[in-house]
């Protein structure tokens, strides 16, 4: 039996798992035939867990035990502005661990977000094993293009906790482009507009046969389908307030029920001009029923949510600018993610890009299919002509020099760094070592000197982010060089080398040029908690 590599789209709201069998990409269903599996874990009182579609219905019934959107927490420090913003909206408890990472508390158990991801992945793995009748140990997992180093590391860790060897992390839009173009010998520029449940990404790629070169990527990890749901929840709450003078905003149960309903109504509005719903709630802390007749037209929905869609278009503009492209230079628009089913999103993207989106691609499944296609290319089976292996000539284009071709004509993915990477130096700034949007794999070095005479210890706090101000960036970890032979400041030269591999994972080397003493840190080491660490600023280096 040949070894299969599954492709997994581990989404904020939903996940999809696919595999290439005899040259054809197949989406793996659950026993009930569902091809899309909510990324939801329900913790039963007896300690057992329920995952996927079965877990979904517990969201309204047992909100405090039903964990969703863990992807919004993964790889982030607890005190990040994003988590602070989310805290009020989760009905389950999220508390900080000692290393300042978030933990989801269910009874007395604390679960890291990657532990939730691992349960979802383990469930998908078992679905695949049942479906295929063989063990599944290898996967390609997708991540949002603008996931930073820590988020990627945590996602990889989730895969490993689930018993999967993560062959590669592929950016979601790149995977979508693969599903769209692999084997079709296309030569064109495409925009992948990916609007999911919790994140928005846009990626501009150039396809040249089986080469998928990312020209730029931009995203907003806090823009997604949830924002539309929240608008609807606010409208419903206003209606209760107006008609019954009852404020439901602080009632977790109410809020959760209304959120579930809001999402349902939002989806209904994608194929109905008007929706009407009788909603019954309770006066908080009592069993007294209150009721509204909620009605909303698509037109009003569009007016109330236009700014959400426009925010995504601003991000598209940013991606165009980074790539140095005009809208007219893009030949195709591919819509990905559940939120692209919203008519307003389709209309506004059509207007913005001035072209019809590519039809016939299922926006929910395309990312997972791309990951499976890539996974298959990593095995001998995938290189069979059925999945479109082309006689690709790596010497065709000079820009590919130095890049590793994966042999046999599989797809060649050329991704970019979504954020700049650097180190904090004296003065509290991030000195950038790797620029944003650099093609991967990538290695860059910079020289620094000690900041005071006879400094025998230096620390290099490593940051990712697009700002020069360290407080606006995320600390990924820290490396330390000790026992440096004393010397006058500025004479001691430290070479710092950053290397980012094709998964977007960072390795760092710092070398004292006089002694050759060096420190090598692979931030991708699994299970290694490289988080926010404090340091003495007098140990920093200077440029
Ligand atoms: P994804 O993260 O790609 O699975 O997208 C999930 C998001 O898509 C959720 O916010 C869903 O509510 C939303 N979604 C799915 N189907 C529809 C639909 N028919 N209309 C509007 N939004 C949808």
């Amino acid at each position: 039996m040949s070894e299969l590599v599954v492709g997994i789209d581990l989404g904020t709201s939903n996940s999809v798992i696919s595999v290439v069998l005899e040259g054809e990409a197949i989406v793996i269903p659950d026993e009930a035939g569902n091809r899309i599996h909510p990324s939801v874990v329900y913790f039963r009182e007896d300690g057992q867990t329920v995952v996927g579609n079965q877990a979904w219905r517990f969201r309204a019934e047992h909100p405090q035990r039903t964990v969703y959107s863990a992807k919004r927490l993964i790889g982030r420090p607890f005190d990040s502005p994003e988590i602070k913003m989310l805290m009020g909206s989760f009905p389950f408890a999220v508390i900080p661990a000692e290393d300042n990472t978030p933990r989801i508390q269910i009874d007395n158990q604390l679960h890291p977000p990657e532990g939730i991801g691992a349960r979802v992945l383990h469930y998908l793995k078992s679905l695949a094993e049942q479906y295929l009748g063989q063990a599944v140990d290898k996967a390609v997992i997708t991540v949002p293009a603008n996931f930073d180093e820590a988020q990627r590391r945590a996602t990889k860790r989730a895969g490993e906790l689930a018993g999967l060897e993560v062959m590669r992390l592929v950016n979601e839009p790149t995977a979508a482009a693969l599903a769209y173009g692999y084997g079709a010998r296309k030569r064109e520029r495409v925009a992948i507009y990916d609007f999911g449940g919790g994140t928005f990404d846009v990626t501009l790629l150039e396809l040249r046969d089986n080469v998928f070169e990312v020209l730029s990527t931009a995203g907003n990890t806090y823009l997604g389908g949830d924002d539309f749901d929240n608008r609807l929840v606010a409208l419903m709450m206003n209606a209760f307030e107006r008609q019954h003078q009852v404020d439901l905003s602080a009632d977790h149960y109410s809020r959760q029920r209304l959120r579930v309903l809001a999402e349902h109504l939002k989806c209904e509005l994608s194929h109905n001009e008007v929706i009407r719903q009788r909603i019954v709630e309770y006066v908080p802390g009592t069993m007294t029923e209150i009721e509204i007749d909620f009605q909303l037209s698509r037109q009003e929905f569009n007016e109330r949510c236009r700014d959400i869609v426009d925010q995504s278009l601003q991000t598209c503009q940013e991606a165009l600018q980074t790539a140095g492209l005009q809208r007219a230079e893009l030949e195709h628009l591919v819509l990905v993610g559940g939120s692209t089913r919203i008519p307003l999103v389709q209309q506004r993207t059509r207007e913005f890009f001035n072209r019809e989106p590519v039809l016939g691609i299922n926006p929910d499944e395309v990312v997972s299919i791309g990951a499976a296609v890539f996974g298959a290319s990593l095995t001998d089976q995938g290189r069979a002509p059925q999945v479109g292996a082309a006689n690709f000539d790596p010497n065709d284009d000079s820009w590919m020099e130095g890049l590793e071709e994966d042999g046999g004509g599989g797809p060649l993915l050329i991704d970019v760094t979504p954020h700049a990477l650097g180190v904090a130096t004296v003065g509290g700034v991030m000195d950038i070592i790797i620029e944003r949007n650099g093609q991967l794999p990538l290695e860059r070095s910079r020289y620094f000197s000690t900041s005071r005479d006879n400094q025998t210890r230096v620390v290099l706090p490593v940051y990712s982010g697009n700002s020069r101000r360290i407080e606006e960036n995320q600390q990924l970890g820290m490396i330390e060089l000790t026992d440096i032979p004393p010397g006058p400041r500025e004479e001691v030269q430290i070479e710092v080398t950053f290397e980012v591999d094709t998964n977007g994972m960072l390795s760092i080397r710092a070398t004292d040029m006089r002694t050759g003493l060096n420190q090598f840190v692979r931030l991708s080491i699994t299970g290694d908690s490289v988080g926010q660490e404090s340091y003495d600023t007098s140990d920093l280096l200077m440029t």
Side-chain angles (χ1 to χ4, degrees):
M1 211 175 284
S2 66
E3 190 162 43
L4 295 170
V5 180
V6 291
I8 300 179
D9 170 9
L10 179 62
T12 307
S13 320
N14 297 300
S15 295
V16 182
I17 179 165
S18 304
V19 68
V20 172
L21 283 181
E22 292 170 15
E24 198 187 331
I26 289 166
V27 175
I28 297 174
D30 63 13
E31 316 81 70
N34 298 302
R35 294 153 70 89
I36 293 171
H37 317 285
S39 310
V40 176
V41 179
Y42 167 55
F43 289 83
R44 287 187 349 195
E45 308 252 345
D46 63 6
Q48 300 290 311
T49 51
V50 181
V51 184
N53 281 287
Q54 298 279 357
W56 176 248
R57 63 199 168 94
F58 292 105
R59 256 183 83 169
E61 228 174 287
H62 295 292
Q64 278 135 336
R65 311 185 69 85
T66 312
V67 182
Y68 63 91
S69 289
K71 187 172 171 180
R72 295 187 122 188
L73 303 172
I74 204 164
R76 289 187 180 279
F78 181 78
D79 59 5
S80 64
E82 294 85 356
I83 291 190
K84 277 191 192 139
M85 200 173 83
L86 280 172
M87 284 304 286
S89 66
F90 284 133
F92 42 85
V94 182
I95 59 168
E98 256 176 32
D99 64 355
N100 189 36
T101 55
R103 292 282 183 278
I104 295 139
Q105 185 173 20
I106 308 283
D107 301 328
N108 292 326
Q109 298 250 328
L110 297 179
H111 304 270
E114 54 270 35
I116 306 295
R119 285 171 197 270
V120 175
L121 290 170
H122 188 264
Y123 170 74
L124 298 173
K125 171 174 149 57
S126 62
L127 283 185
E129 288 177 340
Q130 260 168 26
Y131 183 84
L132 297 166
Q134 70 178 81
V136 170
D137 304 314
K138 293 189 158 84
V140 169
I141 300 179
T142 58
V143 286
N146 68 351
F147 250 25
D148 66 22
E149 159 73 27
Q151 291 167 305
R152 285 168 197 266
R153 199 161 7 103
T155 304
K156 191 157 185 268
R157 174 97 181 115
E160 283 153 0
L161 287 170
L164 288 165
E165 183 188 338
V166 182
M167 307 282 286
R168 174 106 174 230
L169 295 175
V170 175
N171 288 341
E172 288 162 9
T174 312
L178 262 170
Y180 161 70
Y182 183 50
R185 305 195 65 92
K186 291 182 188 293
R187 282 188 169 251
E188 60 194 34
R189 291 196 194 97
V190 295
I192 309 283
Y193 175 101
D194 181 356
F195 210 169
T199 53
F200 171 73
D201 278 313
V202 59
T203 296
L204 310 181
L205 293 110
E206 185 162 295
L207 274 51
R208 304 191 207 174
D209 297 334
N210 286 332
V211 177
F212 295 75
E213 185 191 2
V214 176
L215 302 174
S216 73
T217 181
N220 184 340
T221 23
Y222 284 86
L223 188 67
D226 296 356
D227 294 298
F228 298 96
D229 304 348
N230 289 338
R231 288 279 158 91
L232 292 195
V233 170
L235 283 178
M236 292 171 186
M237 288 195 171
N238 280 345
F240 275 106
E241 177 110 48
R242 243 188 357 260
Q243 292 179 34
H244 300 281
Q245 292 76 51
V246 172
D247 178 9
L248 297 175
S249 58
D251 184 335
H252 263 328
Y253 286 94
S254 239
R255 181 175 279 281
Q256 198 49 31
R257 278 191 297 267
L258 293 179
R259 280 182 78 120
V260 172
L261 181 62
E263 184 176 8
H264 170 72
L265 294 178
K266 171 190 71 176
C267 296
E268 291 281 296
L269 263 183
S270 294
H271 32 258
N272 293 297
E273 284 297 330
V274 183
I275 44 112
R276 193 168 177 178
Q277 174 85 28
R278 190 176 83 98
I279 310 175
V280 179
E281 272 303 329
Y282 301 93
V283 176
T286 75
M287 290 303 283
T288 312
E289 285 189 357
I290 41 175
E291 179 188 322
I292 57 165
D293 181 16
F294 185 72
Q295 190 171 325
L296 187 68
S297 68
R298 188 186 289 169
Q299 194 188 343
E300 193 181 350
F301 173 86
N302 289 356
E303 280 161 20
R304 299 211 173 248
C305 297
R306 196 182 161 94
D307 64 305
I308 301 175
V309 183
D310 285 354
Q311 273 187 60
S312 77
L313 299 178
Q314 275 167 24
T315 307
C316 293
Q317 191 57 46
E318 196 189 306
L320 282 161
Q321 244 158 24
T322 310
L325 286 177
Q326 302 295 321
R327 296 176 201 186
E329 290 177 88
L330 296 166
E331 275 106 354
H332 280 104
L333 165 66
V334 178
L335 300 183
V336 181
S339 297
T340 62
R341 294 190 188 279
I342 298 175
L344 178 69
V345 172
Q346 294 174 2
Q347 178 205 323
R348 298 288 292 137
T349 49
R350 200 183 292 123
E351 286 165 4
F352 181 87
F353 289 101
N354 196 24
R355 64 187 65 253
E356 287 297 320
V358 175
L359 296 172
I361 295 189
N362 183 325
D364 302 314
E365 298 175 354
V366 60
V367 169
S368 151
I369 288 174
V373 166
F374 189 70
S377 78
L378 301 174
T379 67
D380 288 343
Q381 173 235 3
R383 295 202 176 106
Q386 294 99 307
V387 287
N391 292 327
F392 170 66
D393 176 7
N395 300 319
D396 217 10
D397 298 286
S398 56
W399 50 263
M400 282 192 300
E401 272 166 27
L403 289 172
E404 226 181 282
E405 216 257 301
D406 70 350
L412 179 64
L413 309 187
I414 301 162
D415 251 307
V416 297
T417 47
H419 307 283
L421 294 162
V423 294
T425 52
V426 281
V429 294
M430 173 167 102
D431 270 290
I432 293 173
I433 296 183
I434 285 189
E435 295 285 348
R436 179 179 174 214
N437 219 43
Q439 273 185 358
L440 302 180
L442 185 63
E443 185 180 305
R444 292 277 181 280
S445 296
R446 270 188 74 169
Y447 291 92
F448 296 92
S449 56
T450 43
S451 57
R452 54 191 164 83
D453 293 335
N454 303 321
Q455 185 174 337
T456 55
R457 175 180 188 269
V458 299
V459 293
L460 290 150
V462 179
Y463 283 85
S464 112
N466 296 323
S467 170
R468 284 274 286 161
R469 295 157 61 91
I470 54 168
E471 59 276 18
E472 289 173 10
N473 295 330
Q474 183 170 354
Q475 191 185 341
L476 299 175
M478 192 161 71
I479 56 178
E480 188 183 337
L481 281 178
T482 47
D483 302 325
I484 297 173
R489 78 182 171 137
E490 293 170 22
E491 262 182 33
V492 182
Q493 291 276 304
I494 309 283
E495 181 191 41
V496 180
T497 303
F498 277 24
E499 192 187 326
V500 185
D501 68 12
T502 47
N503 289 313
M505 301 275 209
L506 173 67
S507 304
I508 302 168
R509 206 167 51 241
T511 311
D512 175 353
M513 296 308 284
R514 286 177 315 166
T515 61
L517 176 79
N518 70 44
Q519 273 288 329
F520 177 79
V521 178
R522 205 177 168 79
L523 286 182
S524 55
I525 295 170
T526 51
D528 200 21
S529 164
V530 191
Q532 207 89 353
E533 286 175 76
S534 53
Y535 47 86
D536 186 342
T537 51
S538 67
D539 289 334
L540 292 173
L541 290 172
M542 57 187 234
T543 34

